[in-house]
Amino acid sequence: MHELSITENILKIALRHAEQANAKRVTRLNLVVGELSGIVGESVQFYWEMIAQDTIAAGAKLCFERVPASLRC
């Protein structure tokens, strides 16, 4: 369920940057997600479609890039 709050924050950030750029539409977001983050891309996409409705980001494609974990001792 934490994907809902994550998705809400992604939308806020996207809309803020779009406003700063005077964008009329957001068509794509490239998201870099760590392998160990526990974020389920399908859940984020599901929530995105609901909360982005009636915004300039409605219908935007979410593209996920998974990056491997990096550990140090």
Side-chain angles (χ1 to χ4, degrees):
M1 185 70 170
H2 71 283
E3 279 89 355
L4 176 57
S5 62
I6 290 168
T7 309
E8 289 172 332
N9 284 315
I10 292 169
L11 179 60
K12 285 179 193 175
I13 292 167
L15 294 177
R16 185 177 69 234
H17 284 277
E19 182 180 331
Q20 290 171 352
N22 294 318
K24 296 189 185 317
R25 194 116 200 92
V26 175
T27 59
R28 178 180 171 134
L29 281 87
N30 296 315
L31 305 167
V32 179
V33 181
E35 265 183 19
L36 300 179
S37 68
I39 294 173
V40 178
E42 292 82 10
S43 294
V44 173
Q45 184 68 52
F46 172 78
Y47 289 125
W48 179 263
E49 291 169 9
M50 288 192 306
I51 67 171
Q53 285 181 3
D54 303 323
T55 72
I56 64 169
K61 182 177 180 181
L62 302 182
C63 300
F64 295 89
E65 177 186 344
R66 294 283 178 173
V67 294
S70 175
L71 305 173
R72 268 191 254 182
C73 293

